[in-house]
């Protein structure tokens, strides 16, 4: 029986893409398209290190905005008190002005009853500038001594009241500006923190674990640097101790060779420099240590939560020393010393914009309120690298 199948045509089969050249070209195109499609999202996604840097920068910017918020809040509070005082003063002066006006009114009534000089007195009471009118000799000549005193008092009260009203108006305008600054600073802080939280929320569990590992490595390096500083400071203290002992021995030797009373001149028990300040520093540290574990809240000054400058201000207040509210002012509230000369109780400031501060407790460590989402804790002063330290200040 003859077969009904048609014989397969010879030559290239274009429709089915059976030729090796066309097949290779097609596969290459698909592979390139696939790579292009996959490359876009991965290239746009930041690396973990970039996310970490961005979050750290946002927290730092939020810290700087927090200090601006604190400054604006303090200025607003002071301005509000000034405005309230001025308004109370204006109210009292207005009452005195009304009393003076009533006394002048009684003179006007008396003149009306006697038929004397009513137009001049009425004009006086209605004038915008009574003093100009009183300069006219014909009116002044008609006034008795008591009347002239009343007129002078009225003019004085009117002038003082207008002056205080202008001051109150200017203070209200300043208060409005301060409130705007406060609102702007608050919005800036909230925006920075929201952006940081959003970035962190987009991390996968694996990325968060890797980020924690990076943070742990940074902490270990910071602890190593703190230990190095503690070792250097201990060596300096030992050298200073030996120097004092040698000085005391020399003084004791020179004193005993010349007089029988030399035994009472030894200074080996004399107080070391800064003993009074040292006692205050101990109190400040004790207070700060008692706050460990309390949350960082921007703008907070205790007792349940703190921001960085709120904590240092409260700590030194507990020691009887008043510090300004914000880091920009605290950095000028004492004597600047080198990091190697830092002593417990000193304030350690960070970053070029002086947006963070901690309380030094010795051995390269400090107590501070780090950032939103964290708690008051002990940490190396090198927690963000040695270059982040701006200065060390010893409060008065």
């Amino acid at each position: 029986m003859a077969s009904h199948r048609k014989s397969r045509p010879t030559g290239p089969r274009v429709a089915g893409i059976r030729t090796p050249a066309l097949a290779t070209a097609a596969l290459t195109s698909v592979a390139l398209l696939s790579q292009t499609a996959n490359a876009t999202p991965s290239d746009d996604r930041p690396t973990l290190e970039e996310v970490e840097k961005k979050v750290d920068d946002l927290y730092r910017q939020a810290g700087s905005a927090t200090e601006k918020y604190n400054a604006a809040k303090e200025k607003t509070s002071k301005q509000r008190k000034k405005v309230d005082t001025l308004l109370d003063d204006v109210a009292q002066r207005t009452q005195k002005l009304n009393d003076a006006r009533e006394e002048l009114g009684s003179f006007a009534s008396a003149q009306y009853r006697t038929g004397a000089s009513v137009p001049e007195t009425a004009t006086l009471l209605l004038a915008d500038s009574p003093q100009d009118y009183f300069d006219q000799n014909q009116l002044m000549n008609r006034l008795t001594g008591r009347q002239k005193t009343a007129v002078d008092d009225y003019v004085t009260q009117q002038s003082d009241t207008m002056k205080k009203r202008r001051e109150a108006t200017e203070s209200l305008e300043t208060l409005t500006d301060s409130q705007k600054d406060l609102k702007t600073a608050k919005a800036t802080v909230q925006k920075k923190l929201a952006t940081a939280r959003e970035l962190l929320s987009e991390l996968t569990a694996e990325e968060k674990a890797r980020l924690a590992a990076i943070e742990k490595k940074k902490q270990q390096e910071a602890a190593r640097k703190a230990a190095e500083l503690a070792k250097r400071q201990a060596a300096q203290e030992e050298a200073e101790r030996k120097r004092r002992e040698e000085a005391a021995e020399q003084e004791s030797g020179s004193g005993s060779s010349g007089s029988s009373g030399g035994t009472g001149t030894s200074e080996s028990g004399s107080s070391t420099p800064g003993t009074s300040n040292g006692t205050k520093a101990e109190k400040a540290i004790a207070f700060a240590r008692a706050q460990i574990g309390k949350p960082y809240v921007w703008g907070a000054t205790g007792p349940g939560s703190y921001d960085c400058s709120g904590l240092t201000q409260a700590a030194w207040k507990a020691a009887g020393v008043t510090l300004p509210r914000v880091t920009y002012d605290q950095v000028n509230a004492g004597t600047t010393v080198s990091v190697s000369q830092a002593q417990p109780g000193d304030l350690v400031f960070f970053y070029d914009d002086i947006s963070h501060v901690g309380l030094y407790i010795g051995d390269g460590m400090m107590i501070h309120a780090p950032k939103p989402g964290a708690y008051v804790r002990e940490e190396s002063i090198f927690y963000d690298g040695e270059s982040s330290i701006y200065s060390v200040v010893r409060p008065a």
Side-chain angles (χ1 to χ4, degrees):
M1 177 181 292
S3 173
H4 296 283
R5 287 188 298 177
K6 295 182 180 179
S7 60
R8 181 176 296 177
T10 60
R13 185 179 178 186
V14 178
I17 317 182
R18 292 303 182 110
T19 62
L22 289 175
T24 302
L27 291 173
T28 302
S29 299
V30 171
L32 289 174
L33 288 171
S34 177
Q35 289 175 4
T36 304
N38 293 331
T40 302
S42 61
D43 289 346
D44 290 344
R45 183 178 177 82
T47 65
L48 190 59
E49 288 73 16
E50 290 173 338
V51 171
E52 181 195 28
K53 184 180 185 305
K54 181 66 174 176
V55 169
D56 287 345
D57 288 345
L58 285 168
Y59 278 136
R60 193 174 306 153
Q61 292 166 17
S64 179
T66 295
E67 291 305 308
K68 292 179 181 178
Y69 169 85
N70 292 337
K73 185 177 181 181
E74 185 177 41
K75 183 179 179 181
T76 298
S77 178
K78 290 180 179 179
Q79 198 65 34
R80 192 185 304 279
K81 290 179 181 178
K82 182 179 180 180
V83 168
D84 290 343
T85 300
L86 283 170
L87 290 176
D88 288 342
D89 192 17
V90 168
Q92 294 173 7
R93 291 180 182 277
T94 300
Q95 183 58 48
K96 291 180 180 179
L97 181 62
N98 290 337
D99 293 342
R101 184 180 287 112
E102 288 179 6
E103 187 170 6
L104 285 178
S106 66
F107 291 145
S109 298
Q111 288 176 341
Y112 177 78
R113 286 192 298 270
T114 60
S117 305
V118 176
E120 290 88 344
T121 303
T123 305
L124 164 67
L125 291 173
L126 295 173
D128 291 333
S129 179
Q131 185 59 55
D132 292 341
Y133 189 78
F134 292 147
D135 288 340
Q136 302 176 35
N137 291 330
Q138 63 271 24
L139 178 61
M140 294 300 290
N141 290 336
R142 292 193 183 99
L143 298 176
T144 65
R146 181 185 173 191
Q147 288 173 327
K148 187 177 185 304
T149 299
V151 169
D152 290 342
D153 184 51
Y154 175 80
V155 173
T156 300
Q157 293 297 339
Q158 186 185 53
S159 176
D160 290 346
T161 300
M162 292 302 296
K163 180 180 178 181
K164 288 298 179 181
R165 281 177 177 168
R166 284 194 297 270
E167 287 183 23
T169 300
E170 292 172 357
S171 294
L172 281 171
E173 291 174 352
T174 303
L175 176 59
T176 301
D177 291 339
S178 297
Q179 289 172 330
K180 289 179 180 178
D181 293 340
L182 184 64
K183 186 177 180 181
T184 300
K186 183 176 182 179
T188 300
V189 173
Q190 292 174 331
K191 183 178 180 180
K192 299 293 184 185
L193 295 181
T195 304
R197 284 193 292 267
E198 183 180 355
L199 281 171
L200 291 173
S201 68
E202 293 174 352
L203 296 178
T204 65
E206 180 185 357
E207 288 173 329
K208 289 179 181 178
R210 286 172 54 202
L211 189 61
I214 293 174
E215 183 64 25
K216 184 177 181 180
K217 187 176 181 180
K218 287 175 60 178
Q219 291 175 352
Q220 290 172 343
E221 176 62 16
R224 185 186 66 79
K225 284 187 171 293
E228 288 180 354
L229 176 61
K231 187 176 180 180
R232 291 198 303 271
Q233 289 181 330
Q236 290 172 356
E237 290 175 4
E238 179 64 17
E240 178 63 20
R241 184 186 65 79
K242 289 182 178 180
R243 187 195 65 77
R244 288 197 302 266
E245 287 179 353
E246 291 173 358
E249 288 176 0
Q250 291 176 358
E251 187 172 347
S252 176
S254 62
S256 60
S257 62
S259 80
S260 60
T263 56
T265 61
S266 172
E267 295 184 5
S268 61
S270 63
S271 62
T272 58
T275 298
S276 175
N277 191 68
T279 302
K280 292 179 180 178
E282 290 173 1
K283 292 180 179 179
I285 292 173
F287 178 90
R289 201 179 297 280
Q291 312 312 309
I292 290 177
K294 293 183 178 180
Y296 175 104
V297 174
W298 62 275
T301 56
S305 58
Y306 297 89
D307 63 15
C308 64
S309 56
L311 176 64
T312 51
Q313 182 190 46
W316 271 101
K317 183 179 180 181
V321 177
T322 300
L323 291 181
R325 173 63 183 94
V326 297
T327 54
Y328 317 129
D329 295 327
Q330 288 185 8
V331 75
N332 297 316
T335 304
T336 301
V337 298
S338 65
V339 174
S340 63
Q341 297 296 321
Q343 294 180 1
D346 290 351
L347 303 176
V348 186
F349 295 90
F350 298 87
Y351 312 119
D352 291 338
D353 60 356
I354 321 174
S355 57
H356 189 64
V357 63
L359 185 71
Y360 191 68
I361 60 174
D363 294 334
M365 303 294 288
M366 67 177 174
I367 297 175
H368 70 147
K371 60 185 178 182
Y375 297 85
V376 176
R377 66 193 183 202
E378 285 188 19
E379 194 162 26
S380 167
I381 64 172
F382 303 103
Y383 79 107
D384 201 20
E386 189 170 359
S387 62
S388 68
I389 298 176
Y390 179 83
S391 67
V392 178
V393 172
R394 186 162 301 148

